[in-house]
Amino acid sequence: MSAWRPLSTDQSVTTPLETLSGPAFEITRAAPAGAPPPTALVFASPHSGDIYPEDMTSAARLPVETLRASEDAFVDRIVAGTPALGASLIRARFARAYVDLNREPWELDPAMFDGDLPEYARGRTARVAAGLGTIPRIAGEGRPIYARKLTFAEAKDRVELAHRPYHDALDRQLAAARAAHGVAILIDWHSMPAAAARGQRAKGGGPCDIVLGDRFGAACSPKLTGLVERELEALGYRVVRNAPYAGGYTTEHYGRPAKRTHALQIEINRALYMNETTREPTEGLAKLTADAEALTRALAGLDVGELK
């Protein structure tokens, strides 16, 4: 992946997936390891992790309960059954507030760090300016996360521990899909606060239930976006495209139709399946889980030769 800079000359640092808290992410394959995937589908849940390592909590000014507001809670549960229907699934275990996997690896805010950052790690994006870089600066309605400045070594450790291996693994799953089916279809699953959904009106009125982000048509074939939109609307959801979320780093980086990879981001209104105050799931979780499986069946039946 061309975005990477050298991380370590220590040859013992190879695949740093195992941590004191277990693996940094988990992959559930639709076929045994080494066997070709049965479909072109690769699903990802980069923000559903809920592990907050001690090196973060010891430096934080905010309690974990406040930090958890940034999680895409239960999204991994919504798609947990999809590997049985042919989709490979990769899900993060570390919390988004610890390291955001839907960012460039070195999208860092220089103001957060003690000392100068390498030139390649000085983020100048709108996400960094908003405090939401690879190592987020804020959480919980814009409150600063940390009680002190971090070091670049701390950021580098998080990228080595979670970001790099996650994207290496995702890259491999997409390559396997392309090898087996001539094309890969990446669906990046997320959730959004109900307040964000209320700010976007769907067709026919009312707040949107689901936002489809395809980078305004650049990240995937319009046939893919259209199929997902039709299937979700048939299930009763109010769907909008690209507003307020057009797709993040994952959609933009991997969505290359000309290179046989189509990427689409799906954002789900959290009010559909959870109480955002208590963080408890509601009965809507079971419906969304069943509907995610129905959508997966429709995607698995897609003639990938139609994707241009």
Side-chain angles (χ1 to χ4, degrees):
M1 295 175 62
S2 61
W4 295 113
R5 296 296 189 277
L7 292 177
S8 176
T9 57
D10 181 355
Q11 296 303 307
S12 68
V13 180
T14 53
T15 316
L17 308 184
E18 290 295 329
T19 73
L20 294 177
S21 303
F25 60 87
E26 293 177 348
I27 296 175
T28 307
R29 294 178 174 84
T39 75
L41 302 176
V42 179
F43 288 178
S45 180
H47 289 164
S48 54
D50 59 3
I51 292 175
Y52 294 83
E54 191 277 335
D55 63 292
M56 176 188 187
T57 57
S58 64
R61 68 170 73 231
L62 298 179
V64 167
E65 281 306 306
T66 299
L67 297 174
R68 294 198 66 196
S70 65
E71 294 173 14
D72 285 351
F74 307 114
V75 168
D76 53 348
R77 287 174 55 177
I78 290 171
V79 297
T82 58
L85 304 173
S88 296
L89 172 64
I90 180 169
R91 72 173 190 95
R93 296 186 72 246
F94 285 132
R96 175 189 189 180
Y98 182 69
V99 57
D100 194 331
L101 304 177
N102 198 28
R103 298 289 183 267
E104 296 180 15
W106 301 114
E107 204 168 346
L108 303 180
D109 183 350
M112 290 179 60
F113 294 91
D114 184 18
D116 292 334
L117 297 178
E119 180 60 31
Y120 63 80
R122 298 174 188 175
R124 297 177 178 86
T125 67
R127 294 183 292 243
V128 167
L132 299 172
T134 312
I135 311 296
R137 173 171 50 82
I138 62 171
E141 300 177 348
R143 285 180 282 179
I145 293 174
Y146 294 100
R148 63 168 175 83
K149 287 185 178 291
L150 304 181
T151 66
F152 176 65
E154 289 175 298
K156 179 181 172 183
D157 285 347
R158 297 186 196 185
V159 172
E160 287 184 332
L161 178 68
H163 195 291
R164 181 172 187 165
Y166 173 91
H167 282 282
D168 283 349
L170 178 54
D171 230 3
R172 288 193 296 272
Q173 297 301 307
L174 294 170
R178 287 192 299 270
H181 301 282
V183 67
I185 297 172
L186 170 60
I187 307 294
D188 206 39
W189 293 84
H190 296 261
S191 69
M192 58 183 168
R198 286 193 296 270
Q200 185 65 40
R201 312 306 287 181
K203 290 180 290 186
C208 67
D209 296 320
I210 294 176
V211 179
L212 303 180
D214 63 4
R215 304 298 299 180
F216 300 96
C220 68
S221 165
K223 287 185 177 292
L224 177 61
T225 308
L227 170 65
V228 173
E229 183 177 54
R230 289 191 302 274
E231 292 293 327
L232 291 172
E233 288 180 340
L235 291 166
Y237 296 101
R238 295 179 295 238
V239 182
V240 300
R241 298 191 189 189
N242 294 308
Y245 306 106
Y249 168 73
T250 299
T251 311
E252 182 177 16
H253 179 73
Y254 293 102
R256 296 285 188 271
K259 296 184 178 180
R260 301 182 296 134
T261 300
H262 300 262
L264 179 68
Q265 179 175 288
I266 296 180
E267 292 268 0
I268 304 169
N269 184 344
R270 292 174 191 161
L272 294 176
Y273 67 89
M274 67 179 282
N275 182 312
E276 290 186 87
T277 301
T278 65
R279 302 188 56 77
E280 292 295 321
T282 65
E283 60 185 16
L285 182 62
K287 173 175 167 44
L288 263 168
T289 301
D291 290 344
E293 292 177 1
L295 176 61
T296 303
R297 291 187 187 95
L299 287 167
L302 174 66
D303 179 359
V304 296
E306 296 180 357
L307 299 180
K308 303 294 184 181

